Amino acid sequence: MPDQVSAVPDRGTLRLALSVGGLVLAVLLGFGLGRLNSAAGSAPTAVGLETADHTHPPGTAPHDHGSVSGTGQGAEGEAGGLAISAGGYTFAPLVTGFTPAREGQFRFQIRDAQRKPVTRFAIVHDKPMHLIVVRRDLSGFQHLHPTMAADGTWSVPLTLPQPGTWRAYADFTAVADDGAQTAVTLGVDLAVAGGYEPRPLPAAATSTTVGGFNVDYQGTPQVGATVPLTFRVAADGATATLERYLGAYGHLVALREGDLGYLHVHPEPQLVDGTVRFWLTTPGPGRYRLYLDFQVAGAVHTAEFTVVVP
Ligand SMILES: [Cu+2]
């Protein structure tokens, strides 16, 4: 496993600061976060977090999807989406209770460290806000794009079909008053009252069918490594023509069973021999659920796979 921790300069800086004193720690911490936030601007991964073992896909700028750069929560190679508040930003839902199978309105704000609703967001993967919703048993995946009112309140129609506890992830890049950008994925639980009947996670497989398409992938996720996963969509034995969706030829979300950690996925912008390729960093052993959104003939489908990482 790559020794990513020791390659992160800020941890060493923090250790030194701890031995010197609290005041120095506060100064260095402020400096570190500010530097990382500004480094998260055009290329959202802080350069200081790169390690020799980490490979970025050719042709894509490094970016930090699903984490705060450098806060320790969800750094490259770790899962994001586990906290309601991180990197100075808080996911503030205005409603968390839903009636099963009835359309409601999910409304929320992203608030900054001064508890002020954020109104400036960078466009990432064609959208300023990506909202992922899934039940805690990893069923019922939805990928939504809320719209924001001028006061920073986001809203989107949401139907949660079954009772249980659901996880909502807000995946966004906030832009501060000074222009600093922070890429972060925050998570909050939503409740749907009623009898919860958890579904077992489907068995691991590298192929599935959805909407009349056969979808399979090649690649083997490994702990601590960033590996390519190459997906092919086929219909009637022939490779289907993928269309651009969210700035690429597909959008992949990977969630971890047990804590619903949200993994880093870097898409490649171009098709390779009709396939779409992503680079996935897996933080630890376990079972993961992959959700591939792809578009063919104007319709978006989601192919799901369980993968076991030993
Ligand atoms: Cu999205």
Side-chain angles (χ1 to χ4, degrees):
M1 176 174 171
D3 187 6
Q4 301 208 357
V5 171
S6 66
V8 176
D10 291 282
R11 301 247 172 116
T13 305
L14 288 173
R15 259 196 304 278
L16 174 65
L18 279 167
S19 67
V20 172
L23 177 63
V24 178
L25 168 65
V27 171
L28 286 177
L29 190 59
F31 168 76
L33 290 177
R35 185 179 65 79
L36 286 162
N37 285 351
S38 53
S42 49
T45 290
V47 172
L49 292 175
E50 292 301 299
T51 72
D53 296 309
H54 178 87
T55 307
H56 273 291
T60 36
H63 84 234
D64 218 19
H65 202 66
S67 80
V68 172
S69 298
T71 61
Q73 185 280 125
E76 185 74 37
E78 297 176 21
L82 297 172
I84 201 168
S85 191
Y89 293 94
T90 299
F91 188 176
L94 304 180
V95 56
T96 55
F98 288 82
T99 303
R102 185 180 305 169
E103 183 178 294
Q105 235 356 268
F106 183 49
R107 299 172 68 237
F108 63 96
Q109 295 176 335
I110 303 300
R111 296 188 186 143
D112 64 16
Q114 287 73 44
R115 299 186 175 79
K116 206 161 46 82
V118 177
T119 56
R120 291 177 66 199
F121 294 86
I123 305 292
V124 179
H125 299 305
D126 276 358
K127 300 286 180 183
M129 176 65 66
H130 301 267
L131 183 78
I132 302 297
V133 180
V134 70
R135 201 167 67 165
R136 277 209 161 262
D137 60 359
L138 295 170
S139 70
F141 176 89
Q142 300 184 43
H143 181 169
L144 306 170
H145 297 110
T147 53
M148 191 186 74
D151 71 348
T153 301
W154 293 89
S155 60
V156 65
L158 178 63
T159 303
L160 300 176
Q162 303 287 342
T165 302
W166 293 67
R167 190 74 175 162
Y169 304 88
D171 181 344
F172 61 90
T173 296
V175 182
D177 291 341
D178 65 359
Q181 298 194 5
T182 303
V184 61
T185 300
L186 304 176
V188 70
D189 280 348
L190 307 177
V192 182
Y196 173 39
E197 294 177 18
R199 290 181 203 167
L201 195 64
T206 57
S207 67
T208 188
T209 58
V210 60
F213 297 98
N214 296 308
V215 185
D216 60 51
Y217 76 89
Q218 295 195 325
T220 306
Q222 293 171 40
V223 172
T226 300
V227 303
L229 296 182
T230 304
F231 293 83
R232 184 181 298 276
V233 177
D236 302 323
T239 300
T241 302
L242 293 172
E243 297 166 349
R244 292 185 77 82
Y245 173 64
L246 299 176
Y249 287 95
H251 193 91
L252 183 67
V253 169
L255 301 177
R256 177 165 63 191
E257 182 188 44
D259 67 356
L260 276 71
Y262 186 97
L263 304 199
H264 300 267
V265 179
H266 304 272
E268 276 193 23
Q270 301 301 331
L271 290 174
V272 180
D273 188 26
T275 66
V276 58
R277 181 171 294 165
F278 300 86
W279 293 76
L280 177 72
T281 308
T282 308
R287 297 203 296 173
Y288 297 82
R289 190 74 167 159
L290 309 179
Y291 305 88
L292 173 71
D293 295 324
F294 64 92
Q295 181 175 315
V296 175
V300 176
H301 306 271
T302 304
E304 302 188 16
F305 306 86
T306 297
V307 56
V308 177
V309 180

